[in-house]
Amino acid sequence: MEVLFDLTNPLGSAVPVSIAVSTNNGATYDLPATSFVPASGSAFVPGNNRMFVWDAGADWNGRVSSQVRFRVAVAGGLAAESPAVEVDTRDGQSSEPGEIVRPQVVDVVSQYCDRQRHVYFLEGVSLEQTFRVVANWNGKTPGEILFKGPRGTHKVPADRLTRTYNVGRDFRAGDRLWVVLEAGDGTRSAPYPVNFEVIESPPGLSPGGVAAVASEDSQALRYKRLPKVRADFLREDRGSIPTADGRPIPGMSGNPLKFNLALALSVEVGGDGAARFEDRLELGLPEQWNILNASPSIRGLAALNYQYTGNGWKISHGNLGVGGKLRWETPPFPISVPFLPALYGQLEFDFLATAQGKIVANFAPF
């Protein structure tokens, strides 16, 4: 059974919400109901049509009442009660006393999630996912499969088993997808929550320019800003801009500065709710250094790592690092191949050394 409510929070952060059940028209809310998805006390992102799903048959089996009411409450004591509704858990009773026979959703599988694998999708980043239902009809005649999302309920024939959504566009942060089996006699399964969540992008990252990228084995999801942002400063060979007395301005001609400076920014968000913002600064020293044809460079790294929790994004730790690279080139050498004109080759060798430290502190969630 679905219990819908609207939730607001001026701060915009997720709020813990609890739920209680009354079977006597609100006189008391003491039914020991624990079969809620998500569990009572879970954090919800503010928005309309937030939902608890109650498996009434598990907590209140073989009963019927038209005086069932629900009370949802947020931390701090603010609460709201529903009107009285009828709940009947007698449908589909078997010959065994108290046992309910109804269809069961065993699993809902997509590329990145199933019963065992949870994934976070980013709101606003386009990504199509096909969800396949594994159903157990428990001897009943198959009827329809109901996919319940923020845009309503979509029914598909029982033999179809799948539906495709654009999880970044069809769902907003906090929205969920539920699957219900409906047998030919009208008996329904308990609503099954598909094992994914849609969340907002981490602070400082706009969904624009972000793409979803599968891992090599196609099982893990990564969101990356493509392409990486890179800017070159004071690079050699930018062209000559002479001063009034004919001397070149440093950094604009030839090799007056004898080095180049570059800054690169990359962002990656994982389907496991981890995000990394990384800045790399590289200083290239004179090319063809010394008499060894070696090109050294010095690198600096600064990274900020976030982790998503039920209350939003939280800074988990930072990284600082330094490194050096030495590129060595051999002089060109001839390659002799019969019947071909003269060919030349050159070998390049890169030697890289880095050191990186981790900074951990307690940061408040955003």
Side-chain angles (χ1 to χ4, degrees):
M1 182 174 188
E2 302 164 0
V3 182
L4 299 173
F5 60 95
D6 297 337
L7 180 65
T8 60
N9 180 10
L11 299 178
S13 57
V15 180
V17 180
S18 61
I19 184 168
V21 183
S22 169
T23 57
N24 53 18
N25 204 30
T28 59
Y29 284 87
D30 55 2
L31 181 70
T34 59
S35 300
F36 287 99
V37 178
S40 179
S42 297
F44 285 83
V45 176
N48 295 331
N49 294 325
R50 297 307 182 230
M51 182 192 304
F52 281 108
V53 175
W54 182 37
D55 186 355
D59 291 331
W60 201 54
N61 198 12
R63 306 287 190 86
V64 61
S65 173
S66 60
Q67 297 186 336
V68 175
R69 301 181 69 175
F70 300 92
R71 181 176 64 197
V72 294
V74 299
L78 185 63
E81 298 183 2
S82 73
V85 296
E86 180 174 305
V87 177
D88 187 351
T89 61
R90 300 173 301 172
D91 291 344
Q93 267 191 305
S94 69
S95 57
E96 296 295 328
E99 181 181 348
I100 301 295
V101 175
R102 51 181 160 180
Q104 179 187 10
V105 179
V106 178
D107 202 353
V108 180
V109 181
S110 76
Q111 181 178 359
Y112 300 115
C113 69
D114 53 35
R115 178 181 288 273
Q116 301 297 326
R117 295 180 300 150
H118 176 273
V119 67
Y120 291 107
F121 296 120
L122 288 187
E123 178 185 5
V125 181
S126 180
L127 177 63
E128 288 198 350
Q129 289 286 283
T130 297
F131 296 92
R132 178 176 58 84
V133 178
V134 180
N136 177 8
W137 293 97
N138 276 328
K140 291 183 174 291
T141 302
E144 294 180 311
I145 300 176
L146 285 62
F147 290 85
K148 297 189 173 187
R151 299 191 178 186
T153 299
H154 300 89
K155 297 182 178 182
V156 301
D159 58 355
R160 181 173 166 183
L161 296 178
T162 63
R163 180 170 173 80
T164 299
Y165 289 92
N166 188 318
V167 291
R169 301 286 175 83
D170 295 339
F171 296 82
R172 298 181 62 187
D175 290 338
R176 299 296 301 268
L177 176 64
W178 306 81
V179 174
V180 174
L181 303 181
E182 184 175 76
D185 62 1
T187 305
R188 289 188 173 188
S189 69
Y192 181 94
V194 184
N195 200 15
F196 74 84
E197 295 176 65
V198 178
I199 60 176
E200 296 178 345
S201 299
L205 178 63
S206 170
V210 176
V213 181
S215 62
E216 292 184 1
D217 61 3
S218 299
Q219 299 299 307
L221 174 64
R222 290 287 181 269
Y223 289 94
K224 295 184 178 183
R225 175 182 285 175
L226 301 176
K228 292 183 178 180
V229 179
R230 181 181 176 90
D232 293 324
F233 305 95
L234 304 179
R235 195 172 179 84
E236 299 179 63
D237 302 321
R238 288 298 187 190
S240 178
I241 303 179
T243 60
D245 58 2
R247 292 180 302 173
I249 299 175
M252 298 295 180
S253 66
N255 301 304
L257 294 179
K258 294 300 183 184
F259 66 83
N260 58 69
L261 187 66
L263 176 66
L265 169 65
S266 63
V267 182
E268 181 173 319
V269 183
D272 57 355
R276 181 178 177 89
F277 290 70
E278 183 176 294
D279 286 315
R280 288 182 179 270
L281 182 67
E282 182 172 345
L283 173 64
L285 299 179
E287 295 188 3
Q288 306 305 316
W289 177 58
N290 207 330
I291 60 174
L292 300 177
N293 291 331
S295 302
S297 62
I298 301 173
R299 297 180 175 185
L301 163 71
L304 194 59
N305 299 270
Y306 292 84
Q307 183 66 47
Y308 185 81
T309 67
N311 293 322
W313 288 97
K314 179 180 179 181
I315 298 176
S316 60
H317 65 277
N319 296 96
L320 292 174
V322 294
K325 185 180 76 170
L326 184 66
R327 167 168 289 186
W328 180 70
E329 299 177 352
T330 68
F333 52 86
I335 300 175
S336 178
V337 180
F339 310 112
L340 292 179
L343 301 175
Y344 292 88
Q346 187 177 43
L347 298 179
E348 295 182 354
F349 300 90
D350 286 340
F351 303 92
L352 180 64
T354 61
Q356 184 170 299
K358 184 176 182 180
I359 304 172
V360 181
N362 291 323
F363 294 91
F366 285 88

